[in-house]
Amino acid sequence: MGDLVVGLAKSVVEGVLTKAQSAIEEESKLRQSAQRDLVFITGEFEMMHSFLNVANEERAKNNVVRTWVRQVRDLAYDVEDCIEFVVHLDNRPHWWRRFIPSCMAASALPIDAVVTEIEQIKARVEDVSKRNSRYSLISDSGSKPVMQQQPTTSPANGATARGDLGRTSIIRKAYQDPEICQNFGCRGWIRLTYPFNPHKFQQSLVTQFYTNSCLQQGTTVDVAELKRMERTGAKQGGLLEEVMKQANEKRYLIVLENVCTMGEWDAIRACLPDRQKGNWIIVSTEKREIASLCIGHSYQVLELKQYSAEHPVCVFFKEGPQGKETGRVMSSNNEKLMEDEVNHGAGLTSYHRIPTSRKAVASSWFDQFSLVGRESQMNELRNFQTTARFNDWQVMSVWGIAGVGKSVLVRNLYYERMLQKDPIFDKYGWVLVSHPFNLRDFSRSLLLDFHSKPIEDLGIEDPIQECHKLLKEHPCLVVIDDVQSTEEWDLIQPSLVSRHSKSVIIVITTEESIATYCADNEEVVFNVKGLEAQASFDLFRKEVQNKNQASPLKNSDDKELEQLIVKCGRLPKVIVAVAKFLAPKTVTCMESTRTLNRRFMHELESNPEFRGLRDLFGWMHSYFRTCPDFLRPCIFYMSIFPGSQIIRRRRLVMRWVAEGYSRDTKDTTAEEKGEILFSMLVNLSMIQPPMCKAITHMRMIQCQVSAFFHEYIISRPDEENIIFALEVFALKGRCLPTTQRTGRHLVIESSWDRDRIVFESIDFSRLRSLTVFGEWESFFISNSMKVLRVLDLENATGVTDKDLKLMVKLLPRLKFLSLRGSSGIRHLPRARTLGELRQLETLDVRHTSIVTLPASITKSHQLVGVEVPVGIDKLTALHTLGVVNAGLAGGKDSLKELKKITQLRKLGVFGVNKKNCMEFCAAIACHVRLESLSVWLSKGNEECLDDISLHLEKPLEKIQQQPQGKGLGKTQQRPQHKPQEKPHQKTQGKPLGNLQSLKLCGLVKQVPSWIKDLPKLTKLELEITMSEEVEVINVLGEIKELCILRLCVKPHHGADGKLDFCVWVNGIQQRCYLNLKILEITCSSKLNVSFGSEAMQNLELLTARCCSGSTLKFMEIKNLSKQKLKEARLIGSHDTALKDDIEKQLEEHPRNPPLKLEELEGC
């Protein structure tokens, strides 16, 4: 019997073992299958990606290709979601769950669901690939679709029909213009045929001269006269005599179309009379060589329009004696040039030439133009030019987007240097680069600007060599405007730049990369940004007053007018164009304002009165078409936020990271890459600081999307960007239910009426981000939001703990969750729920009612932004941590855990005292990446921060070598999502060497001396208790990069306080606080503040906050920043005497800045 029992037991065990092995093998096979499928999918997408890289504008016009690209894009999103789910899948084995009968299983195993999803996606990928082959969408050359290829045309008809029609229509528009007709009594338009027939050519010319002259004079065409001309043409040489007869009486204008060979041109010239009497011939040809040869050697070329990459629109023109043009040939034609000449009443007249007296021109410039809101940038530009000359750097660059005012700023500097009493330059030259570029023509233009006369009169044979000689032997200031490629600069640089030259060359361009390439050093690459907010309004009013002093708009505070000016995006060119459009209107000005505000972008792009903005829109269209792939989605993503919405920089950057627009690379983290992208958009003026008075060099904390770019982005049709279609849709006002409302990014605006029926009619299956402004409703979360990555509820009202539990349950793929400002949130979900958000990277719970986080939060290893108290050493990827309460029980342990979170950028620590200060200092010393630090000292422990100086003197690698328990201990392993460093590499850097912002609360009588040794510190906030005898200013005055200083001063035992912002050395005042732009002083007692004559010469904003019972007095405000102080603010409770005293001192200030009063928000 025992043997039987043992045998049965062995059989059961063997059965279980067999099933277990089978389950393990099955799970292993499933994982291998998923891996193989992912490899296949990756390979297919590499091919698709190659196709998308060449899916240019021409290809996008093909409906079949556009549909296929859209399918590839949608499939790519799904594959990305699936792969991320696999990457973050729980790797723990679940084979044991396969023993559970299917009827009892609560849900499918994660690996089973993944395999099923991958198999479905693989089938879709195969189908899309077959569809490409089925419709022959990709040719072998990778250019246009095979099905769209056309037979090759002859050289004479090489242009596309679209380009041909565009060229002809432009010339025709000028040809028929009334002023052109008046200036040229004889006009003829002839399309050449092959072979060329001189007799027919002259016959057609005579007939057109006569008939067009009759039409211009309003007389009837005489048939008898036409017959007489025909009889005359039958005689030998009769037609030429007739042509000469008509041409000698009046000026002629002839358009020659389809000139293909120089033989034809030579034959035509023999048939035409002398062209020295102001006559004009326009030759339209597709060949650049023919265009240049028809003009001759002395020609200039301008690229004026571009219908496609293959067919730029160029104008060639020739300069004769006294700089007047005697002929013009066009390869296509120039709409802008023609229209500008016609509308200014000049017809086809000669170009304006610089007068003989250069100083007269410069003086005239300053009489006619005055810069508005550009004082700060002009000072910087002057310093850049001085720096270039001081360091013997011959080339500096100025760059910025089209319409931002680069050339105006440089022109102002150019004429300033020309008019100064002791000029440092002997010669001045300004040349606009023509396109396509010709070095000889470029040199001729520069010499013409140097000498104000044609080079033929000077006997110059080689203009290139002459330019090189002049810049080498004479100190010259040369401006090269509109350089569009590094290839152009490679041709220009050898001909102008030489060693040991005192000349300075300023290159103006719209591309940062070109500016950096051209400049001799990055220190002289100057970026021109848009105007400050207030300057936009000032410029508008100034332009309106200049155009019409009686206009009601110059002092109007109409809300729609303000919105319209904001929509101009602080771009001077747009502001001036709008002002010129509205200024002449009187009775209808407000109606015109409202119409323009409602149809802003449509009017600017289509209304002929805004033709001056065509260059700007041309640049924008070109930039968005050729924008780098990594930057384009970030630009379009900004359309989520309304143009007037103030956005936190970090909020935007971390959303980019969550969306996958900013990814980890070998050298940078995703967040660091996001910061780089943010800076790029700031430099492009697409992101701007909010309406404020002081612009600092610190990293922008809050921002606004440029309203102009926001309007442009949301007005673009999907066809213009088929590869990256953001698919943003917004709910605002009143909406009707529709099945067509779908997309990947949903914005719920505060104006929406919260109609549940409308909301539930939306397809959320592809939704990746949900942004809510205003009131939250519980039905905003749907179980169909399975791929939602970003849930942004910052400052939304009505969010509860119950809503949060539902979010965590239904949205497992969240990577960004912001509950910031939701005071109704008191607790985060406990137990396993929150820990299942394995893809979570950012959790923002600032300004909620949450006190502690559950332990399960440590499962979110990818978390990089969260506010937690203790127990977070497993969150090795954490970037933001605030606030750790070191004063509670276990506070020392919390500080020790800080050593392991080596990726921290922002940290706040509360309760630092004598007992834990050693642990705090040791923990802080290891954070070389830390950029922001806030510290609250416990009462009576103000001296405990002095020990930090001991750690600041040691390089980090020495601190890391200390044994455990003495200092830092061993270095924590880097985050899993970042590449591992090689074993022999050691982290370099100085403790707190990257710190930019520091806040210290609880100081008494003194400021830690080590603050002045922080090399990158730009923002400092101090809460200090002090008396009149205490001197803190000397320490603060030595912080070289300090840009923002906020002081909260409290009395020491009721004593008076004194702040004297003046540094003395040997009885002499020293220049101090050189970079300080914002000074804010909060006072709760009696405080006297004075300023030395050498302090804060760059201050822009002075703010005083007065708490109840305080007595604040300022002295010598007139000494402050005599050139830059823009505004003073008085906030809180104060007596009339303080207000009157400050106003009186501001009146004595050279800039007479205003004083603004505000209510106190808090002390």
Side-chain angles (χ1 to χ4, degrees):
M1 187 67 179
D3 293 339
L4 178 59
V5 171
V6 172
L8 290 173
K10 289 173 62 178
S11 298
V12 171
V13 171
E14 289 175 355
V16 172
L17 181 59
T18 301
K19 289 182 179 180
Q21 290 174 340
S22 177
I24 293 172
E25 291 176 1
E26 180 181 355
E27 183 153 328
S28 176
K29 289 178 180 178
L30 288 174
R31 291 184 182 272
Q32 292 175 6
S33 174
Q35 185 176 3
R36 286 195 301 270
D37 288 344
L38 287 177
V39 170
F40 170 79
I41 292 171
T42 301
E44 287 292 301
F45 266 91
E46 287 179 354
M47 295 300 298
M48 294 179 189
H49 182 264
S50 299
F51 169 75
L52 294 179
N53 282 337
V54 293
N56 55 22
E57 193 171 354
E58 290 293 327
R59 172 173 286 165
K61 288 179 168 45
N62 182 305
N63 289 331
V64 179
V65 174
R66 190 160 58 240
T67 301
W68 189 80
V69 169
R70 189 178 298 111
Q71 292 174 352
V72 171
R73 185 193 64 216
D74 294 342
L75 185 55
Y77 278 122
D78 295 340
V79 170
E80 183 181 24
D81 290 329
C82 181
I83 290 176
E84 287 199 343
F85 183 68
V86 172
V87 170
H88 295 95
L89 194 65
D90 190 353
N91 289 322
R92 291 177 300 176
H94 295 90
W95 57 267
W96 56 271
R97 290 178 57 185
R98 301 187 183 277
F99 289 102
I100 303 174
S102 58
C103 60
M104 298 175 58
S107 61
L109 292 175
I111 187 62
D112 293 335
V114 166
V115 170
T116 302
E117 186 174 351
I118 289 179
E119 288 177 348
Q120 293 175 352
I121 289 178
K122 179 183 177 182
R124 289 173 59 193
V125 170
E126 291 176 337
D127 186 54
V128 169
S129 299
K130 292 177 182 177
R131 194 173 296 124
N132 164 55
S133 302
R134 189 182 310 138
Y135 294 100
S136 302
L137 297 177
I138 305 179
S139 66
D140 292 337
S141 62
S143 56
K144 296 182 179 179
V146 175
M147 60 187 294
Q148 294 295 317
Q149 288 181 347
Q150 302 294 335
T152 304
T153 57
S154 65
N157 299 308
T160 63
R162 177 169 60 88
D164 198 30
L165 290 174
R167 182 183 72 252
T168 304
S169 63
I170 294 171
I171 301 176
R172 195 72 182 175
K173 184 175 181 180
Y175 180 78
Q176 294 178 337
D177 187 88
E179 293 190 29
I180 298 291
C181 296
Q182 186 176 0
N183 289 334
F184 297 93
C186 298
R187 293 180 302 118
W189 184 302
I190 298 176
R191 180 177 178 83
L192 301 185
T193 58
Y194 182 80
F196 175 69
N197 187 320
H199 182 81
K200 289 184 178 180
F201 173 80
Q202 291 178 340
Q203 181 70 55
S204 175
L205 203 57
V206 168
T207 303
Q208 289 191 58
F209 277 179
Y210 174 69
T211 55
N212 286 331
S213 178
C214 292
L215 292 174
Q216 178 65 23
Q217 297 173 6
T219 59
T220 306
V221 176
D222 189 347
V223 178
E225 179 64 16
L226 289 176
K227 290 183 178 180
R228 185 194 67 77
M229 293 179 182
E230 187 176 350
R231 290 193 300 271
T232 303
K235 300 178 183 179
Q236 184 70 23
L239 279 175
L240 182 57
E241 292 178 3
E242 190 66 32
V243 172
M244 295 290 292
K245 176 184 175 181
Q246 296 190 39
N248 286 332
E249 296 175 355
K250 303 172 184 177
R251 296 173 64 196
Y252 68 75
L253 168 64
I254 301 175
V255 177
L256 301 176
E257 198 175 356
N258 199 31
V259 178
C260 298
T261 67
M262 285 305 297
E264 291 176 349
W265 173 242
D266 292 337
I268 292 169
R269 291 184 61 185
C271 299
L272 296 177
D274 180 41
R275 294 180 288 143
Q276 301 301 319
K277 298 180 180 179
N279 301 315
W280 279 80
I281 302 173
I282 299 178
V283 178
S284 178
T285 178
E286 293 298 332
K287 297 183 177 181
R288 188 185 191 281
E289 182 182 12
I290 297 298
S292 61
L293 290 175
C294 286
I295 283 295
H297 294 294
S298 302
Y299 65 85
Q300 292 192 19
V301 189
L302 297 177
E303 182 178 325
L304 302 157
K305 198 175 179 104
Q306 188 162 351
Y307 287 107
S308 68
E310 295 83 6
H311 299 100
V313 179
C314 309
V315 58
F316 291 65
F317 59 90
K318 178 180 179 180
E319 294 179 355
Q322 284 128 23
K324 292 186 177 181
E325 299 173 24
T326 58
R328 176 176 294 172
V329 179
M330 296 186 181
S331 65
S332 293
N333 210 313
N334 171 11
E335 184 175 11
K336 176 181 180 297
L337 179 63
M338 283 288 189
E339 289 184 353
D340 284 352
E341 290 174 341
V342 170
N343 287 305
H344 286 85
L348 294 172
T349 56
S350 62
Y351 289 96
H352 170 71
R353 295 299 170 202
I354 298 177
T356 304
S357 173
R358 306 298 294 272
K359 290 192 175 182
V361 176
S363 298
S364 176
W365 162 270
F366 288 111
D367 291 340
Q368 298 178 37
F369 301 98
S370 59
L371 298 181
V372 177
R374 292 292 200 183
E375 295 84 0
S376 177
Q377 292 199 41
M378 272 306 304
N379 287 333
E380 288 187 66
L381 185 59
R382 294 183 189 105
N383 292 335
F384 272 60
Q385 187 264 311
T386 303
T387 301
R389 184 169 172 79
F390 180 79
N391 291 281
D392 291 328
W393 295 331
Q394 291 185 51
V395 185
M396 61 174 285
S397 298
V398 176
W399 78 277
I401 65 171
V404 79
K406 307 178 295 295
S407 297
V408 174
L409 277 178
V410 177
R411 180 76 69 177
N412 206 71
L413 175 69
Y414 180 76
Y415 286 142
E416 271 186 4
R417 294 293 183 254
M418 195 179 292
L419 292 176
Q420 64 186 23
K421 292 182 179 180
D422 299 315
I424 56 178
F425 299 106
D426 293 343
K427 295 184 178 296
Y428 299 83
W430 186 298
V431 59
L432 181 66
V433 178
S434 60
H435 304 96
F437 180 73
N438 182 295
L439 182 58
R440 189 177 184 85
D441 298 336
F442 169 86
S443 302
R444 290 173 59 86
S445 298
L446 181 56
L447 290 173
L448 179 64
D449 207 50
F450 275 150
H451 302 295
S452 299
K453 60 175 65 177
I455 64 173
E456 288 83 356
D457 297 351
L458 301 173
I460 298 174
E461 296 181 357
D462 188 345
I464 300 175
Q465 185 61 35
E466 182 67 17
C467 285
H468 188 275
K469 179 181 177 182
L470 281 174
L471 268 72
K472 183 177 181 179
E473 297 179 355
H474 301 273
C476 304
L477 178 60
V478 176
V479 178
I480 305 175
D481 200 351
D482 198 25
V483 176
Q484 295 185 2
S485 70
T486 56
E487 290 77 14
E488 291 176 356
W489 179 247
D490 287 339
L491 294 172
I492 295 172
Q493 194 264 354
S495 66
L496 296 185
V497 181
S498 60
R499 293 184 178 181
H500 311 299
S501 171
K502 295 299 182 182
S503 297
V504 172
I505 300 172
I506 303 177
V507 175
I508 304 177
T509 180
T510 57
E511 300 291 337
E512 182 180 13
S513 59
I514 297 174
T516 305
Y517 184 84
C518 296
D520 286 345
N521 192 286
E522 288 188 2
E523 292 184 25
V524 285
V525 177
F526 183 72
N527 175 225
V528 180
K529 300 184 178 68
L531 297 170
E532 295 180 25
Q534 185 58 46
S536 300
F537 292 89
D538 296 340
L539 177 60
F540 177 83
R541 294 189 180 96
K542 175 178 175 292
E543 289 297 323
V544 168
Q545 185 171 4
N546 289 343
K547 298 297 178 183
N548 181 7
Q549 293 188 357
S551 173
L553 295 176
K554 63 179 183 179
N555 295 316
S556 174
D557 56 357
D558 182 76
K559 293 298 181 183
E560 287 216 48
L561 178 61
E562 290 184 7
Q563 292 175 7
L564 180 61
I565 298 174
V566 169
K567 285 184 179 180
C568 294
R570 309 183 192 177
L571 297 179
K573 190 168 188 174
V574 182
I575 296 170
V576 171
V578 171
K580 288 181 178 179
F581 173 75
L582 294 175
K585 300 172 173 42
T586 53
V587 178
T588 62
C589 66
M590 297 314 301
E591 181 60 32
S592 299
T593 299
R594 285 189 284 271
T595 301
L596 185 57
N597 190 34
R598 288 193 302 268
R599 296 163 49 84
F600 181 73
M601 197 55 61
H602 174 77
E603 288 290 324
L604 263 57
E605 291 190 83
S606 60
N607 192 327
E609 294 196 51
F610 291 107
R611 62 180 166 272
L613 298 178
R614 288 177 181 171
D615 283 348
L616 170 60
F617 284 112
W619 175 85
M620 291 179 66
H621 182 71
S622 174
Y623 183 82
F624 281 101
R625 188 177 66 246
T626 60
C627 179
D629 290 339
F630 61 83
L631 188 60
R632 186 184 291 112
C634 298
I635 295 175
F636 280 83
Y637 197 73
M638 295 188 299
S639 64
I640 288 177
F641 300 95
S644 59
Q645 179 74 31
I646 296 179
I647 318 164
R648 288 185 304 104
R649 171 194 55 78
R650 184 169 175 79
R651 176 188 185 186
L652 184 59
V653 169
M654 296 313 298
R655 286 188 59 151
W656 286 343
V657 173
E659 295 283 3
Y661 306 150
S662 176
R663 303 175 184 272
D664 288 336
T665 64
K666 293 181 179 179
D667 302 319
T668 60
T669 65
E671 186 179 355
E672 291 169 342
K673 181 66 179 296
E675 295 288 355
I676 294 173
L677 297 175
F678 185 90
S679 298
M680 292 176 69
L681 296 186
V682 170
N683 291 337
L684 288 167
S685 296
M686 294 183 184
I687 290 179
Q688 299 171 330
M691 294 188 68
C692 63
K693 293 296 179 181
I695 306 299
T696 71
H697 294 290
M698 288 192 62
R699 191 169 60 181
M700 200 181 299
I701 303 300
Q702 292 182 322
C703 66
Q704 284 178 302
V705 178
S706 165
F708 183 79
F709 283 99
H710 185 269
E711 292 290 321
Y712 182 82
I713 292 170
I714 64 177
S715 67
R716 297 304 92 194
D718 291 341
E719 289 75 12
E720 287 191 12
N721 192 33
I722 62 170
I723 296 178
F724 179 78
L726 193 62
E727 298 185 44
V728 175
F729 63 108
L731 296 175
K732 52 186 176 180
R734 289 190 174 183
C735 306
L736 295 176
T738 172
T739 57
Q740 298 302 312
R741 190 177 287 114
T742 183
R744 302 190 183 277
H745 305 276
L746 171 60
V747 180
I748 299 178
E749 298 193 8
S750 56
S751 63
W752 183 49
D753 59 4
R754 271 54 180 171
D755 189 327
R756 184 166 187 164
I757 296 177
V758 171
F759 190 83
E760 292 179 347
S761 68
I762 301 174
D763 177 12
F764 297 117
S765 60
R766 299 185 301 137
L767 192 69
R768 294 167 75 93
S769 81
L770 173 60
T771 307
V772 179
F773 297 102
E775 187 178 359
W776 167 268
E777 295 288 348
S778 59
F779 62 81
F780 286 174
I781 292 297
S782 169
N783 57 7
S784 61
M785 299 177 178
K786 296 187 180 300
V787 295
L788 192 72
R789 293 180 170 204
V790 173
L791 181 57
D792 193 342
L793 308 181
E794 183 163 324
N795 295 325
T797 59
V799 187
T800 66
D801 290 342
K802 183 178 179 181
D803 295 323
L804 180 57
K805 289 181 181 179
L806 190 62
M807 298 172 198
V808 174
K809 179 181 179 182
L810 298 181
L811 308 175
R813 299 190 183 184
L814 275 181
K815 302 179 76 174
F816 178 99
L817 175 59
S818 177
L819 305 169
R820 193 184 187 99
S822 298
S823 57
I825 299 293
R826 293 175 173 80
H827 306 284
L828 289 180
R830 297 183 179 276
R832 299 181 56 185
T833 51
L834 190 61
E836 293 304 316
L837 297 180
R838 297 186 177 277
Q839 295 179 236
L840 191 65
E841 295 176 347
T842 298
L843 173 62
D844 191 341
V845 293
R846 278 182 179 269
H847 309 304
T848 65
S849 301
I850 296 174
V851 178
T852 60
L853 293 185
S856 57
I857 192 67
T858 59
K859 294 183 179 180
S860 300
H861 294 288
Q862 302 301 315
L863 202 62
V864 296
V866 61
E867 205 172 307
V868 296
V870 293
I872 36 71
D873 58 314
K874 296 181 180 179
L875 300 178
T876 54
L878 199 64
H879 283 189
T880 300
L881 179 58
V883 179
V884 173
N885 194 337
L888 297 176
K892 289 187 177 181
D893 294 334
S894 299
L895 292 173
K896 291 178 180 179
E897 290 175 349
L898 288 179
K899 302 174 185 178
K900 303 177 182 179
I901 314 175
T902 58
Q903 303 300 311
L904 276 179
R905 305 297 196 276
K906 187 173 183 178
L907 173 65
V909 181
F910 186 85
V912 176
N913 54 45
K914 295 178 181 178
K915 294 181 179 180
N916 58 31
C917 65
M918 291 301 297
E919 287 77 8
F920 169 74
C921 295
I924 292 301
C926 72
H927 290 288
V928 295
R929 296 178 176 86
L930 201 63
E931 298 174 358
S932 176
L933 175 63
S934 299
V935 181
W936 287 263
L937 298 173
S938 298
K939 189 174 182 179
N941 293 271
E942 59 274 4
E943 298 179 357
C944 64
L945 291 181
D946 293 341
D947 291 337
I948 290 183
S949 59
L950 300 176
H951 296 274
L952 293 180
E953 297 172 357
K954 300 178 182 179
L956 181 61
E957 56 184 277
K958 291 185 177 180
I959 298 174
Q960 292 173 333
Q961 293 172 0
Q962 295 180 10
Q964 186 73 16
K966 296 182 180 180
L968 274 180
K970 297 182 179 179
T971 304
Q972 174 66 19
Q973 185 179 6
R974 294 175 65 86
Q976 298 177 8
H977 71 288
K978 292 192 64 177
Q980 296 288 331
E981 291 183 350
K982 295 180 180 179
H984 67 275
Q985 290 180 327
K986 294 182 179 179
T987 305
Q988 300 294 327
K990 192 174 181 180
L992 299 186
N994 203 39
L995 195 68
Q996 301 171 30
S997 176
L998 176 63
K999 180 177 182 179
L1000 299 177
C1001 298
L1003 298 175
V1004 178
K1005 293 186 178 182
Q1006 63 180 0
V1007 176
S1009 59
W1010 51 265
I1011 292 179
K1012 67 178 184 295
D1013 299 322
L1014 300 175
K1016 295 185 178 181
L1017 188 64
T1018 53
K1019 179 181 178 182
L1020 179 62
E1021 296 185 46
L1022 299 178
E1023 179 189 288
I1024 184 169
T1025 301
M1026 58 182 295
S1027 63
E1028 187 174 358
E1029 294 78 19
V1030 177
E1031 291 288 342
V1032 300
I1033 301 303
N1034 288 339
V1035 174
L1036 303 183
E1038 294 184 38
I1039 306 176
K1040 296 180 180 180
E1041 301 299 324
L1042 190 62
C1043 193
I1044 298 176
L1045 176 59
R1046 292 190 173 100
L1047 297 174
C1048 180
V1049 180
K1050 297 180 180 181
H1052 184 63
H1053 300 306
D1056 295 345
K1058 178 182 178 182
L1059 289 176
D1060 185 5
F1061 291 95
C1062 182
V1063 175
W1064 296 84
V1065 176
N1066 298 326
I1068 301 174
Q1069 288 194 37
Q1070 302 296 309
R1071 298 184 66 188
C1072 53
Y1073 304 93
L1074 297 180
N1075 293 308
L1076 196 69
K1077 292 195 173 186
I1078 297 177
L1079 174 63
E1080 181 176 310
I1081 298 175
T1082 301
C1083 174
S1084 60
S1085 62
K1086 186 175 181 180
L1087 180 65
N1088 296 322
V1089 182
S1090 59
F1091 302 97
S1093 59
E1094 297 295 326
M1096 303 184 189
Q1097 290 306 304
N1098 288 299
L1099 192 72
E1100 297 183 12
L1101 176 62
L1102 172 64
T1103 301
R1105 292 178 177 268
C1106 300
C1107 300
S1108 178
S1110 63
T1111 303
L1112 181 62
K1113 183 175 179 59
F1114 285 100
M1115 290 172 285
E1116 303 298 331
I1117 293 180
K1118 64 182 181 181
N1119 289 336
L1120 277 177
S1121 189
K1122 297 179 181 180
Q1123 300 297 325
K1124 296 185 178 181
L1125 187 62
K1126 297 179 179 179
E1127 182 181 294
R1129 296 177 185 174
L1130 186 55
I1131 304 174
S1133 58
H1134 56 270
D1135 53 23
T1136 306
L1138 174 61
K1139 170 181 169 295
D1140 294 342
D1141 181 55
I1142 294 178
E1143 286 182 337
K1144 181 179 179 181
Q1145 293 191 57
L1146 290 175
E1147 289 175 359
E1148 297 175 358
H1149 192 278
R1151 285 180 60 90
N1152 192 20
L1155 175 65
K1156 292 192 176 181
L1157 306 179
E1158 298 180 16
E1159 296 294 330
L1160 183 65
E1161 299 176 356
C1163 191

